[in-house]
Amino acid sequence: MDSHANSASTTRPGSASLAARRPFLTAFALSLGAAVSLGLTRFSYALLLPPMRADLDWSYFLSGAMNTGNALGYFLGALATPALMRRYGAQAALVGGAVLASLFMLLSGFVIDAEVLIGQRVLAGIASAFIFISGGLLAARLGLLHPQRAGLLLGMYYGGTGLGIVASSLLVPVAMDAATAQGAAHAWQWAWIALAALCLLATLMMIPPARQVDGAPSQAGAQGGFRLAPFGFGLAGYLMFGVGYIGYMTFVIALLKEQGMAGTTITLFYAMLGLAVMASSRIWARMLDRFKGGQAMAILNALLGIATLLPALTALPALMFVSGLLFGGIFLSVVASTTALVRHNLPQHAWSAGISAFTTVFALGQIVGPSTIGWIADGPGGLQRGLVFSALALFIGALLASRQRPLQTQ
């Protein structure tokens, strides 16, 4: 098959030895994929939602629907990614997805129609799934070469999302200020264009090191494939995580603006949240290596629920920063916990199917979350009540995940 030929270049002795010698450099390169997939393509929208909503007169429901569209695309992409990786290899899915996501981001800089913008979010979500699943698989395979550091390397990959959040928190205000100075009709469009350019740059930087990890399609045998039932509680807990966390990451900046927080303080808040995401790989690495069942996901979901409740209960700036640091230090480690769960309980050839299954329920939760929370926020209680809903979803997710047991056989 063409996929075998395509993957041959990833399995040369020199390539494998480079990944073995430079695990952290390779993990950092892979993390740029996470930065594009989530940090820039998805979470930068939190910064752009308030100016777009004010400029285009959107309701909170329509504002949330933009991220619902992104999650719908992510769901469709998650369904397609395993076949894509079998046909072309993981590196092609990673790089191709990153290029497509960059182009779809660029599209947002030239349109104002809500339907077109939702369509763009759907397409960007599809491309993001290509990136995130294939990158997660490559990070897991990198961990095979370094089993004592597997949790840290996996956390580094997911922590790349924080790098994207930090970059967007710094780039969006600069781009919008430049647009305003030039008298642009829609200053937020300049920000989308700048973010797309940064995505393309990150894509170019990650290509050479990413090629050094084995991206060959798995050769699944008749035994040991992925089955849904043994992972039922873990999947259900992750579904509720998807419902809950996305409300915070979609609307928290809008809430801070409503509470009167200054623009420079909001930039600092979001940058610190992103830095906490990057630090989370080391904070939780030992726990990801230690627990074989759903314990890690349960603990992290519960802590995340507390972080989400804080902005709903108080407007004190100090507690807002506590919330942001706690949230940033946790939420991507919930994602990492699912890959660790798959890695601990399945043979290598089933990892791709396992990661894809968790990514699919994650996307389903994110489809429900933004529009539901936006609809709640349009009613009495506003965004605070929407975040209470998010926190409840996270607490339910913690309870469900706590019921997930390690598989007895692998």
Side-chain angles (χ1 to χ4, degrees):
M1 287 179 62
D2 291 341
S3 57
H4 294 289
N6 182 69
S7 63
S9 64
T10 67
T11 57
R12 293 192 302 268
S15 297
S17 63
L18 181 61
R21 292 195 313 268
R22 308 274 181 112
F24 295 112
L25 173 64
T26 306
F28 174 75
L30 293 174
S31 78
L32 295 178
V36 172
S37 174
L38 293 184
L40 295 169
T41 304
R42 176 176 297 165
F43 297 138
S44 63
Y45 176 65
L47 295 163
L48 290 162
L49 184 156
M52 292 178 74
R53 180 173 179 264
D55 182 28
L56 303 176
D57 196 27
W58 287 351
S59 66
Y60 278 125
F61 175 78
L62 180 55
S63 301
M66 292 292 161
N67 260 2
T68 287
N70 186 257
L72 174 61
Y74 200 82
F75 171 70
L76 297 174
L79 295 178
T81 301
L84 186 69
M85 290 194 295
R86 284 194 300 269
R87 179 68 177 81
Y88 297 106
Q91 279 88 356
L94 178 71
V95 175
V99 172
L100 288 173
S102 303
L103 295 177
F104 296 140
M105 290 272 283
L106 187 64
L107 176 63
S108 293
F110 297 95
V111 295
I112 60 172
D113 183 80
E115 287 77 13
V116 176
L117 286 167
I118 288 180
Q120 171 271 332
R121 297 298 286 165
V122 172
L123 293 172
I126 293 172
S128 293
F130 295 164
I131 304 167
F132 204 62
I133 297 174
S134 58
L137 177 63
L138 290 172
R141 286 186 175 178
L142 180 64
L144 282 178
L145 300 175
H146 309 274
Q148 299 305 313
R149 299 171 172 174
L152 178 58
L153 294 172
L154 196 60
M156 284 183 64
Y157 168 71
Y158 291 117
T161 300
L163 182 62
I165 292 172
V166 172
S168 64
S169 70
L170 300 175
L171 183 59
V172 168
V174 171
M176 290 192 60
D177 286 346
T180 301
Q182 294 298 318
H186 308 287
W188 51 267
Q189 291 183 325
W190 285 41
W192 283 115
I193 294 170
L195 290 167
L198 186 59
C199 286
L200 285 172
L201 178 62
T203 301
L204 292 174
M205 291 175 62
M206 77 180 176
I207 291 173
R211 291 185 65 233
Q212 311 311 313
V213 185
D214 177 20
S218 300
Q219 301 301 308
Q223 303 296 323
F226 178 79
R227 293 183 299 116
L228 292 174
F231 291 92
F233 283 112
L235 289 165
Y238 200 43
L239 173 71
M240 297 310 296
F241 165 71
V243 172
Y245 101 95
I246 192 61
Y248 188 100
M249 290 302 294
T250 300
F251 292 111
V252 68
I253 299 300
L255 177 59
L256 295 179
K257 282 186 174 291
E258 281 191 357
Q259 293 174 345
M261 186 175 285
T264 54
T265 308
I266 289 175
T267 296
L268 179 62
F269 169 89
Y270 214 50
M272 289 182 64
L273 188 154
L275 289 172
V277 173
M278 297 169 66
S280 67
S281 61
R282 183 167 293 277
I283 294 171
W284 306 108
R286 184 170 297 180
M287 186 172 74
L288 296 184
D289 284 335
R290 175 186 175 188
F291 290 124
K292 312 301 182 185
Q295 302 98 318
M297 191 194 307
I299 292 168
L300 295 170
N301 261 337
L303 291 173
L304 208 59
I306 295 171
T308 303
L309 266 182
L310 285 176
L313 300 178
T314 178
L316 290 175
L319 289 180
M320 295 300 97
F321 275 81
V322 169
S323 168
L325 286 170
L326 185 59
F327 196 97
I330 296 170
F331 85 97
L332 255 296
S333 291
V334 181
V335 181
S337 76
T338 65
T339 304
L341 182 64
V342 167
R343 180 168 50 83
H344 286 314
N345 292 283
L346 290 175
Q348 183 187 351
H349 72 253
W351 286 1
S352 176
I355 292 170
S356 183
F358 275 96
T359 303
T360 300
V361 300
F362 180 48
L364 284 173
Q366 293 176 112
I367 290 171
V368 173
S371 294
T372 301
I373 294 161
W375 174 75
I376 293 171
D378 282 328
L383 287 172
Q384 287 90 342
R385 183 171 292 183
L387 289 184
V388 170
F389 172 85
S390 293
L392 289 174
L394 290 164
F395 289 136
I396 292 171
L399 181 62
L400 290 167
S402 69
R403 302 290 304 280
Q404 177 66 52
R405 300 289 181 259
L407 273 62
Q408 296 303 309
T409 58
Q410 297 190 27

